[in-house]
Amino acid sequence: MAIRLLTLFYFMFQLAVLSAQQGTLHGIITDDKTKETLGGVSIYIDGKGATSSGADGSYEIKCLAGNHSVEFKLIGYSTTVRKAEIKENEITKLDVALAIEATELGTMVISAGKFEQKLEEVTVSMDVMKQSLIENKNTVNMEDMMQQCPGVNILDGQANIRGGSGFSYGAGTRVLVLVDDLPLLTADAGDVKWNFIPAENIEQVEVIKGASSALFGSSAMNGVINIRTTYPTDSAHTTFNMSKGFYCTPKRDSLQWWDNASRPAITNISVMHTRQVNNLDLVLGGDAFYDDGYRKLEIEQRHRINFGTRYRFQKVKGLSIGVNGNLMDCHGGYFTLWQNADSAYYPQGGSVSDYRVLRRTIDPFITYFTPKGHRHSLKTRYYLATNENNTNQESISKVWYGEYQYQMHLKKELTITSGIAGTTSQVVSAAMYGNHISDNVGIFSQADKKFNRLNVSLGVRGEYFKVDTAETKTKIILGKDTSIIPIHPVARAGLNYRLTKYTHLRTSFGQGYRFPSVAEKFISTKVSGLTLYPNPKLQPETGWSAEIGAKQAFKISNWRGYLDLAGFWQEYKNMMEFTFDYWVPDTIRNPTPFQKAGYFGAKSINVGRARIMGTEVVLAGEGKIGKVNLTVLGGYTYIKPLDLSYDSAVSGGTYNKPDSVIDYAHFFNKDKRYVYANVLKYRYEHTAKIDVQADYKKFSVGMSIRYNSFMKNIDRKFENSMLEELFPTWKLYILPGLKEYRLEHNTGDIVFDARFSYEMAKGVRISVVVNNLLNRECMGRPGDVQPPRTIAMVVRARI
């Protein structure tokens, strides 16, 4: 007993001695150039992990008195080691400024794993579009900007990556668009409104290619576009941009509806201000845009303001809260179909739909970094959209979104990101959709581990979706037992191996899942005389994508870049497509030709299975060659989009089976003859893009080139008479002249843009931006002829 008491007394004495010999080390960690505080920095004392800095960059460590080696580590920054002398019962201050690491590429991304990583180390194909490119091209609508990204095409507002989507008449998307990690999809159509994105306040755009539902949920089955906005540094900045432009005379006189004395004009004014006020980060932005339209009566006038706030608490280390917001009022005329191929800028019927749209998002959030550097975050969004028009298609849609995320940065470079996300949407539209409520819940987790040269990523998600009474149903088979569960599981896996210092090999596999939008299931309206029919029985679509790739970094003088090569394979089941046909209700049996004719239109259906294979090469780089600063982003994408439901033995390959409504269009061979094929509709087999910017002293010049091959397959009824199967002699066309137009324009489209700028004074630059330099006539979706040459003068000032 006495021995035990002596032992206990000894340990208590040693504890008291150690306590008496302790001191405190504290300080602030910042970026050595921007002076912005850095959170999540791992701090080691004599090689042992001690703590991590909070969101405000501060840290505090109690350690034994004496001399110590203190190491500071953060991904993207060079490791910094400092010596510190800790004195007994005293506080020692050690502030550190970290320098950005001179990596192979120098580009950091967050979207692949929801934490900062080097671009060359991610396990998926990613492209990055930086702020400078957005500014140089005088971007007033992010839809135009995304057309410059390799492998990405936007058809009438709908994004597709590597041919994963076609054109679905404004409803549904297989590409999830985020702004600061929050989805920007509407409640009714489930699509993105590109003019609502604050182009004046963008830091970087990150594009993930391939199925990403495991981490991002429904609608990410073809990829993700994450738009990251700017946060202030320790010095205040104000950016002002004003541009004035006009549409030039098109090459074909028949397209021009204006006289040369009153050319349609484009005006844009935007401003952004960022500053830090003590612990408060503040961002304010605004935009006014006026477009007379190159198509008759299709004008657009919009006003948008946005703000961002973040408050970093001093008394509660690592805690920050904030709220962001975006408000837009937009009205104008919506042009749907041309009058005919020779009057493509004239609306069919001589009128357009007048509309006014009010959009508002409010995004409160809270973030907390624990003393060990783990992160808790809660992000929420309320998205309200009010649509008014003169065609009895008014609607109100509301989205409530929330995501809680917990991220652990563990020892040996292991990061685990887990969370739960939920969405509730409400659509009120008496004439167009009806009233509907949908709910979506997803639970996810992803682990990213670095083993010396190898990076491994594994993720899984369970997804539940419900629209009215239709909900997720997944069949589970265990031996002889079969059960139905209301959760659809998806998974992803990826590897990235550093073969040499500048060579990285990668492979990935990801599953996708998408539930139909309210518009795809319930839309009921007329557009320019066309009827869109609902399909309440529409089923969710699933898919997967796999790829192998290699990224080779290189350096020429002070110019560094990379060449990325990828081969990919995507498959879809129950793919949803809007399809034109005669949609006679089941209640009408044995309909007459006249009855059939009364039910001609389009609706979304499950067309079956599809496969898309292809290759892609991307070149990107920036830096100085001699005295010239050169920036390059370009790529070439080849796809082979196959409809696996196609059967060439039935009706010459036009239909799969008698009850199918898959409508295979024709494309033209070299002899301009009709050839039916199992090609997915509305895809470009070949796309190539490149943007080059050269800066020398006060002068800058830039050039963009975009090429799309001929769109081989479209809905056949776009070209043929709508009633040809019922009344062969009647000539009634959705798009008069389209068949002849495609016969003449069957070699693809190429567009050149050019720009020149001069720095008049420090921070003040004047530019001339010319889009469609050669004034080529190009078409996107059928009947959507693109603008002629436009010329704009731009003044940009940063103070």
Side-chain angles (χ1 to χ4, degrees), residues 530-546:
L530 291 176
T531 302
L532 300 181
Y533 291 96
N535 185 4
K537 297 180 180 180
L538 194 64
Q539 297 299 307
E541 60 183 2
T542 58
W544 57 265
S545 66

Side-chain angles (χ1 to χ4, degrees), residues 29 36-42 52-58 73-74 369 373:
I29 306 173
E36 185 177 4
T37 57
L38 299 175
V41 178
S42 299
S52 297
S53 62
D56 59 353
S58 66
K73 289 184 177 182
L74 179 63
F369 285 90

Side-chain angles (χ1 to χ4, degrees), residues 2-271:
I3 294 176
R4 291 181 180 178
L5 288 173
L6 286 173
T7 302
L8 178 61
F9 175 78
Y10 172 78
F11 280 112
M12 291 178 65
F13 174 77
Q14 290 295 324
L15 182 62
V17 170
L18 290 174
S19 178
Q21 292 176 345
Q22 278 188 335
T24 302
L25 178 69
H26 84 110
I28 302 292
I29 306 173
T30 59
D31 183 295
D32 72 333
K33 289 186 178 180
T34 67
K35 308 305 179 185
E36 185 177 4
T37 57
L38 299 175
V41 178
S42 299
I43 304 168
Y44 299 82
I45 301 291
D46 298 328
K48 297 181 179 179
T51 188
S52 297
S53 62
D56 59 353
S58 66
Y59 72 94
E60 185 173 289
I61 306 170
K62 291 188 179 296
C63 54
L64 292 175
N67 294 318
H68 297 277
S69 175
V70 188
E71 192 175 19
F72 301 85
K73 289 184 177 182
L74 179 63
I75 293 177
Y77 289 83
S78 298
T79 299
T80 299
V81 180
R82 295 289 182 84
K83 299 295 184 181
E85 182 181 357
I86 309 300
K87 296 183 180 180
E88 183 178 333
N89 296 325
E90 291 187 12
I91 297 176
T92 302
K93 186 176 179 60
L94 178 61
D95 293 338
V96 176
L98 301 186
I100 293 179
E101 185 178 13
T103 65
E104 297 98 312
L105 305 179
T107 300
M108 307 301 295
V109 295
I110 65 170
S111 301
K114 297 197 174 185
F115 68 96
E116 196 169 52
Q117 296 174 279
K118 299 175 184 178
L119 176 61
E120 61 267 28
E121 292 184 351
V122 300
T123 61
V124 296
S125 282
M126 283 191 69
D127 287 330
V128 176
M129 306 179 75
K130 297 189 176 181
Q131 183 186 58
S132 58
L133 178 60
I134 298 171
E135 293 177 353
N136 292 335
K137 288 183 68 66
N138 186 36
T139 303
V140 296
N141 188 319
M142 284 304 296
E143 177 179 352
D144 300 327
M145 187 71 253
M146 295 313 304
Q147 299 280 25
Q148 198 61 48
C149 183
V152 178
N153 291 103
I154 313 292
L155 283 181
D156 213 11
Q158 292 182 306
N160 86 71
I161 297 176
R162 293 174 172 173
S165 301
F167 170 61
S168 296
Y169 309 96
T173 179
R174 297 186 184 99
V175 176
L176 180 61
V177 178
L178 308 166
V179 176
D180 291 329
D181 300 318
L182 289 169
L184 200 63
L185 302 184
T186 60
D188 45 14
D191 64 347
V192 61
K193 306 304 180 185
W194 296 97
N195 60 0
F196 188 43
I197 298 173
E200 67 277 6
N201 181 27
I202 294 177
E203 180 71 24
Q204 183 167 286
V205 180
E206 300 175 1
V207 180
I208 301 176
K209 300 176 179 179
S212 305
S213 291
L215 197 57
F216 293 96
S218 184
S219 297
M221 65 184 307
N222 183 214
V224 174
I225 298 174
N226 190 10
I227 298 167
R228 296 168 53 187
T229 61
T230 304
Y231 260 99
T233 60
D234 59 346
S235 58
H237 293 285
T238 300
T239 302
F240 174 82
N241 191 87
M242 179 177 180
S243 65
K244 181 73 174 183
F246 61 90
Y247 294 101
C248 296
T249 303
K251 281 190 174 181
R252 283 200 296 158
D253 293 337
S254 63
L255 299 184
Q256 183 174 328
W257 53 268
W258 62 86
D259 58 63
N260 292 328
S262 57
R263 296 177 183 275
I266 315 165
T267 305
N268 186 73
I269 301 174
S270 65
V271 64

Side-chain angles (χ1 to χ4, degrees), residues 386-428:
T386 304
N387 297 275
E388 303 172 356
N389 53 60
N390 63 343
T391 56
N392 194 31
Q393 297 176 353
E394 290 82 3
S395 67
I396 298 175
S397 62
K398 302 175 183 179
V399 178
W400 294 266
Y401 176 84
E403 178 183 316
Y404 166 74
Q405 185 187 121
Y406 179 51
Q407 189 171 86
M408 296 183 291
H409 295 283
L410 303 175
K411 295 180 180 179
K412 298 182 180 180
E413 298 188 84
L414 171 63
T415 299
I416 299 178
T417 305
S418 303
I420 181 171
T423 306
T424 294
S425 302
Q426 181 183 30
V427 178
V428 178

Side-chain angles (χ1 to χ4, degrees), residues 641-658:
L642 302 176
D643 193 322
L644 301 182
S645 300
Y646 172 82
D647 186 351
S648 60
V650 180
S651 300
T654 304
Y655 294 99
N656 179 28
K657 49 189 178 180

Side-chain angles (χ1 to χ4, degrees), residues 265-426:
I266 315 165
T267 305
N268 186 73
I269 301 174
S270 65
V271 64
M272 184 188 70
H273 177 74
T274 66
R275 68 164 51 238
Q276 290 182 343
V277 183
N278 296 324
N279 299 329
L280 177 66
D281 296 337
L282 180 64
V283 179
L284 295 173
D287 174 82
F289 178 76
Y290 308 92
D291 184 1
D292 294 334
Y294 67 96
R295 291 184 284 208
K296 191 174 183 180
L297 303 178
E298 190 186 43
I299 66 170
E300 180 182 351
Q301 298 182 7
R302 71 167 183 258
H303 301 87
R304 186 183 62 236
I305 59 173
N306 59 86
F307 65 89
T309 63
R310 180 176 61 184
Y311 183 79
R312 292 168 279 118
F313 288 86
Q314 285 292 326
K315 293 185 178 180
V316 183
K317 302 296 183 182
L319 177 64
S320 62
I321 63 173
V323 59
N324 302 328
N326 193 13
L327 301 90
M328 183 183 75
D329 181 0
C330 182
H331 66 276
Y334 183 70
F335 183 109
T336 306
L337 302 177
W338 67 24
Q339 182 171 295
N340 57 59
D342 291 329
S343 302
Y345 290 169
Y346 292 78
Q348 197 170 113
S351 63
V352 298
S353 299
D354 294 326
Y355 69 89
R356 183 180 183 185
V357 180
L358 301 175
R359 299 188 184 279
R360 290 84 88 188
T361 58
I362 300 295
D363 309 329
F365 66 89
I366 181 171
T367 305
Y368 174 65
F369 285 90
T370 70
K372 293 185 177 181
H374 304 328
R375 186 187 70 195
H376 297 267
S377 69
L378 176 63
K379 296 184 177 182
T380 62
R381 163 163 287 173
Y382 173 62
Y383 184 2
L384 173 64
T386 304
N387 297 275
E388 303 172 356
N389 53 60
N390 63 343
T391 56
N392 194 31
Q393 297 176 353
E394 290 82 3
S395 67
I396 298 175
S397 62
K398 302 175 183 179
V399 178
W400 294 266
Y401 176 84
E403 178 183 316
Y404 166 74
Q405 185 187 121
Y406 179 51
Q407 189 171 86
M408 296 183 291
H409 295 283
L410 303 175
K411 295 180 180 179
K412 298 182 180 180
E413 298 188 84
L414 171 63
T415 299
I416 299 178
T417 305
S418 303
I420 181 171
T423 306
T424 294
S425 302
Q426 181 183 30

Side-chain angles (χ1 to χ4, degrees), residues 568 611-615 638-642 679-680 684-685:
F568 54 88
R611 175 186 298 154
I612 302 168
M613 300 178 293
T615 58
Y638 163 76
I639 63 170
K640 187 177 182 181
L642 302 176
V679 178
L680 286 172
Y684 302 115
E685 191 174 36

